[in-house]
Amino acid sequence: MLRLRAVFEKAGRAKYISHLDLNRCMLRIFRRSKLPVWYTEGFNPHPYYSFALALSLGFESSCEIMDFNITDDDMPLDEIRDRLNEVMPEGMRIISIAEQVKKITAITKAEYSFSLVSEDEIGVYSAVKEILAEPEILIEKRTKKGVKTVDIRPDLEVVSCEITENSVDMAIRLPAGTQTNFNPTLFVEALNNYCKVPFEARKIRRTGILCENNEKFS
């Protein structure tokens, strides 16, 4: 049995596929591909697959991770990729497939890019610089136990921040994995509370899933 890890893209119209619907979608994809996927045992067998991190509705991604197993040890990885891509819906595409190396628990961060669109991009840029200079960035975060106030500043890494025409384009890294998950909308919400200039966050995209030392997860 081959234990495989696929990296796939989710963009365009596919960004509106919820995580629950993504599970149903993948079930149909595996069945249509007719790959020798390993099925779970028990009363209701179904193809085994799992996703590393749930992606928020409306976000695009170029690095989604899906693990699955196939029973044919000799099947070429390129063939597996191509057969899946033949039945993928619009906006979804398998980028690569390889054998699993690291455990999912190795994931500690995710990287996101987004644009803060405004008629006063200089004012937004100044507000970004000011809030990042603050010792704390407090925001209310909803959890299973209710709403709690969290400080996202210690775990927020700014990869880039540039002014373009009518926007401020940013890339940031936030905690992700089995322990803590911060969504980039937390930073956007905090900035919106801090900034006096109106803006809108657009084109939010997950661009990387990383390990502790910023090594690419694979």
Side-chain angles (χ1 to χ4, degrees):
M1 181 169 64
L2 280 177
R3 300 181 183 276
L4 301 177
R5 177 161 292 152
V7 178
F8 68 95
E9 180 181 52
K10 191 167 179 273
R13 293 173 60 187
K15 70 182 181 181
Y16 298 113
I17 300 175
S18 69
H19 186 66
L20 182 60
D21 288 336
L22 181 63
N23 279 278
R24 301 189 185 105
C25 179
M26 281 299 176
L27 177 61
R28 292 194 296 269
I29 288 168
F30 277 121
R31 287 175 175 168
R32 290 171 181 171
S33 72
K34 298 182 180 179
L35 286 170
V37 180
W38 182 80
Y39 275 68
T40 60
E41 299 175 355
F43 181 74
N44 184 28
H46 58 274
Y48 166 79
Y49 53 90
S50 63
F51 302 99
L53 296 173
L55 184 67
S56 296
L57 189 67
F59 286 16
E60 294 190 336
S61 176
S62 55
C63 59
E64 293 308 280
I65 302 292
M66 177 179 66
D67 289 350
F68 63 102
N69 303 331
I70 65 169
T71 57
D72 185 350
D73 294 349
D74 298 322
M75 180 170 286
L77 300 183
D78 287 350
E79 180 183 347
I80 298 170
R81 179 201 61 205
D82 293 344
R83 286 174 62 173
L84 288 172
N85 278 334
E86 285 175 359
V87 292
M88 280 281 184
E90 178 185 347
M92 288 178 59
R93 176 177 62 93
I94 301 292
I95 298 170
S96 64
I97 290 181
E99 293 192 48
Q100 297 173 26
V101 179
K102 298 182 177 68
K103 294 183 178 180
I104 296 296
T105 52
I107 296 172
T108 59
K109 305 175 187 179
E111 185 171 305
Y112 298 88
S113 65
F114 52 88
S115 295
L116 305 173
V117 180
S118 173
E119 294 182 358
D120 183 5
E121 65 273 15
I122 295 176
V124 174
Y125 182 78
S126 298
V128 169
K129 291 298 184 181
E130 289 173 10
I131 196 172
L132 291 175
E134 295 286 342
E136 296 179 327
I137 301 179
L138 300 177
I139 197 71
E140 290 188 345
K141 183 178 186 295
R142 285 183 171 82
T143 68
K144 293 180 180 179
K145 297 182 179 180
V147 178
K148 68 175 183 179
T149 301
V150 296
D151 179 12
I152 65 173
R153 186 64 191 95
D155 298 308
L156 170 65
E157 300 176 35
V158 179
V159 179
S160 63
C161 181
E162 300 176 346
I163 296 180
T164 62
E165 186 176 357
N166 298 125
S167 72
V168 176
D169 293 347
M170 295 189 67
I172 63 175
R173 291 174 183 154
L174 292 167
T178 56
Q179 299 298 319
T180 304
N181 282 288
F182 284 170
N183 190 303
T185 54
L186 291 176
F187 173 74
V188 173
E189 183 181 344
L191 179 64
N192 188 55
N193 294 335
Y194 185 90
C195 182
K196 297 179 181 179
V197 177
F199 67 87
E200 182 181 354
R202 299 180 185 173
K203 298 186 291 187
I204 302 177
R205 187 179 185 93
R206 184 148 64 193
T207 56
I209 295 177
L210 309 168
C211 302
E212 184 64 39
N213 57 358
N214 288 336
E215 178 185 0
K216 182 180 178 182
F217 176 77
S218 60

